[in-house]
Amino acid sequence: MSSSLPDFDIVIVGATGDLALRKLYKALYYRCRDGQLPAAGRIIGASRAELDRDGFIAMLEESAAQYIPDEHRGAEDWQRFLSRIDYTPIDAFDCGSYRGLADRLAEHPDRVRVFYLSTGSKLFAPICNCLRELGLITPQSRVVLEKPVGNSLEGAHEINRQVLECFSEDQVFRIDHYLGKEPVQNLMVLRFGNTMFESLWHQSYIDHIQVTVAENLGVEGRAGFYDHTGALRDMIQSHLLQLLCIIAMEPPPSTDPDVVRDEKLKVLRSLRPITGSDVDRFVVRGQYQAGAVDGKPVPSYRDEPGVADDSNTETFVALKTYIDNWRWAEIPFYLRTGKRLARRMSEIVIQFRHVPFSIFGRSELNANRLIIRLQPNEEIRLQLSGKRIGTGMRVRDLQLHLDEDQRGVDHVPDAYERLLIDAIDGRATLFVRRDELEAAWRWVEPITARWEEDGGQPGRYVASTWGPTAAAALLARDNREWDAGAD
Ligand code: BG6
């Protein structure tokens, strides 16, 4: 494959952090291996660690051994990748420490520069200020901001304001890696590449929609970040609301970044706010207690290293909301996410209405469902009713698989592969615009406010279950239940 990308320098700030080591280099490696990066494309790590290039490469070797299968890492491919790597230590707050970086970038002043800030959002403004002070921001530069941007509407607003004193909005790429996942892209094609679904895609035919992002992992050494963030800010504010936007938006007239983002913004603005005592009725929060995963004991959230003994941070949220517009009037959207749940399973379920009248006996007929599975396996499945072979008129569920057969595919690109390429290429469609981000925070804020003023506690759930019982009750009150998600 020959590359159509411009020559670039990508600077990964936070180069020795967990996300970079687990996801970013791996993503760049695969794109390099598949010939998608131009020969003149450098990857410059920058972080506080006082390493030289060899020390950094040793670190990459170690993480690659863990995260990239050996059979995908041929010696020649890997060496070709390493030849692109450089490293320079910086202290985010000390602009003087960016000299080494400045010297490296000065070697190629005309290249596209991508500053990928894989750090906490408190560092975004200081880093951008130093980049500006040293004159490192060229017209061909972009900055990628990891989520979550801020911890509240006010915080996000302030960070955006400061970043935008250094970069223009079209240079700012706020990442939400769920938008880069293959099935999410596929959902856009399914919706807007077929007349069939779009004509059924509204309240006349849809009963309700569920979005679940369930993890079986716990907080995994990220307590410092997680304990003042929680599931609502970490997952609902970003990933789940972005998924909801892709499900619910109107057909955009093109895939241009602003056109798509305008439609997503309209969805966020139409979300019915959950305020005051409605928060107690429509939002369930939970925190995991000790339990067992695969037969091995795991501690309660409060006993995780770095978590306060009396922490009320929620590790689970389930909620019910509505989108107040013509298409979705009075159709419930149920969102659910949590850590240490029964298993890793992320999916969107579009539950269609029952047939208005059944000539086969209603009990035999299940309503149609479209299931978009993100994890652990990726698939899109349409559940229909069909006839069971035989002389009688017996009905059975039919599962139609609507995605490409992945058997024999050597590697399905990860979300970060797609998003890094887009950032280098300057395509912002799959990144979040400032107004979208702030609209999402605005919607989340009354929920956090209620929790703070109410002083209550999250419901407890045993690790490896599906969350507090109140989550099941949220749907049971509406005569519905969460999809069990077939294995
Ligand atoms: C991140 C969250 O954005 O997404 C993590 O900060 C979470 O807490 C992760 O574990 C989930 O991503 P994925 O792609 O593994 O579902």
Side-chain angles (χ1 to χ4, degrees), residues 22-23 146-148 177-178 181 213 215 217 222 225-226 234-235 238-239 339 344 346 375 416:
R22 257 183 328 116
K23 298 280 190 183
E146 252 304 330
K147 66 146 278 285
H177 73 280
Y178 269 59
K181 288 188 187 263
V213 177
E215 298 182 87
L217 293 176
R222 292 166 73 222
F225 157 77
Y226 197 85
D234 184 36
M235 299 295 288
S238 47
H239 303 324
K339 296 206 180 279
R344 181 166 185 251
S346 300
Q375 276 149 196
Y416 280 97

Side-chain angles (χ1 to χ4, degrees), residues 2-8 35-42 84 421 424:
S2 73
S3 173
S4 56
L5 291 180
D7 295 349
F8 68 90
Q36 214 177 347
L37 305 186
R42 265 193 310 185
R84 298 173 180 276
I421 292 294
I424 294 168

Side-chain angles (χ1 to χ4, degrees), residues 82-386:
L82 290 184
S83 68
R84 298 173 180 276
I85 301 282
D86 204 346
Y87 181 83
T88 175
I90 60 166
D91 171 348
F93 293 98
D94 173 11
C95 299
S97 72
Y98 289 53
R99 272 275 137 242
L101 177 61
D103 291 344
R104 282 169 178 77
L105 291 175
E107 291 161 13
H108 303 286
D110 297 329
R111 279 189 188 173
V112 162
R113 283 181 191 169
V114 179
F115 298 100
Y116 192 120
L117 309 192
S118 176
T119 67
S121 63
K122 282 196 186 117
L123 299 186
F124 293 168
I127 295 169
C128 290
N129 280 327
C130 285
L131 295 176
R132 182 179 56 169
E133 204 173 302
L134 286 154
L136 303 184
I137 304 176
T138 56
Q140 296 75 256
S141 293
R142 356 200 186 276
V143 65
V144 180
L145 306 180
E146 252 304 330
K147 66 146 278 285
V149 177
N151 209 27
S152 64
L153 175 59
E154 196 189 346
H157 186 78
E158 187 51 24
I159 292 169
N160 280 327
R161 192 189 64 73
Q162 294 187 35
V163 168
L164 290 170
E165 280 176 3
C166 307
F167 289 89
S168 61
E169 175 63 33
D170 60 4
Q171 292 179 302
V172 181
F173 286 60
R174 297 176 194 81
I175 207 159
D176 185 312
H177 73 280
Y178 269 59
L179 290 178
K181 288 188 187 263
E182 187 72 27
V184 178
Q185 302 282 289
N186 212 338
L187 173 59
M188 302 242 305
V189 178
L190 204 72
R191 279 198 64 194
F192 306 126
N194 297 289
T195 43
M196 228 180 102
F197 290 107
E198 201 40 38
S199 50
L200 300 176
W201 211 258
H202 58 86
Q203 44 87 11
S204 315
Y205 295 101
I206 291 179
D207 178 76
H208 73 274
I209 287 173
Q210 299 183 12
V211 182
T212 293
V213 177
E215 298 182 87
N216 58 355
L217 293 176
V219 71
E220 307 301 305
R222 292 166 73 222
F225 157 77
Y226 197 85
D227 204 33
H228 64 262
T229 306
L232 185 73
R233 293 180 172 99
D234 184 36
M235 299 295 288
I236 301 270
Q237 183 273 336
S238 47
H239 303 324
L240 280 91
L241 287 188
Q242 285 293 326
L243 291 180
L244 181 140
C245 286
I246 302 290
I247 299 163
M249 70 184 181
E250 294 300 313
S254 75
T255 57
D256 286 352
D258 280 334
V259 169
V260 172
R261 297 185 299 181
D262 285 348
E263 293 305 337
K264 284 162 56 200
L265 179 64
K266 284 188 211 158
V267 174
L268 292 166
R269 289 190 171 153
S270 314
L271 268 180
R272 188 182 298 175
I274 310 179
T275 59
S277 58
D278 276 354
V279 173
D280 312 339
R281 289 174 55 212
F282 297 127
V283 187
V284 174
R285 58 178 160 154
Q287 190 187 74
Y288 63 82
Q289 291 190 297
V293 172
D294 298 332
K296 293 200 193 93
V298 292
S300 71
Y301 176 70
R302 286 184 175 181
D303 289 332
E304 296 274 14
V307 172
D309 292 346
D310 58 351
S311 171
N312 275 335
T313 300
E314 78 288 353
T315 58
F316 176 94
V317 175
L319 61 83
K320 167 171 148 177
T321 186
Y322 294 91
I323 297 173
D324 287 332
N325 64 17
W326 274 45
R327 186 186 284 269
W328 297 114
E330 299 310 324
I331 299 303
F333 284 73
Y334 300 100
L335 312 184
R336 161 175 79 151
T337 184
K339 296 206 180 279
R340 280 271 186 259
L341 295 184
R343 61 201 156 82
R344 181 166 185 251
M345 193 271 285
S346 300
E347 63 175 30
I348 298 165
V349 177
I350 314 290
Q351 173 76 55
F352 290 91
R353 292 189 189 279
H354 278 282
V355 292
F357 172 77
S358 169
I359 59 170
F360 306 112
R362 189 166 173 138
S363 59
E364 290 215 46
L365 279 186
N366 285 319
N368 299 142
R369 292 185 146 193
L370 178 67
I371 297 170
I372 299 112
R373 173 69 77 95
L374 279 69
Q375 276 149 196
N377 51 323
E378 304 182 340
E379 64 172 12
I380 301 195
R381 194 157 35 92
L382 180 62
Q383 182 182 295
L384 301 170
S385 294

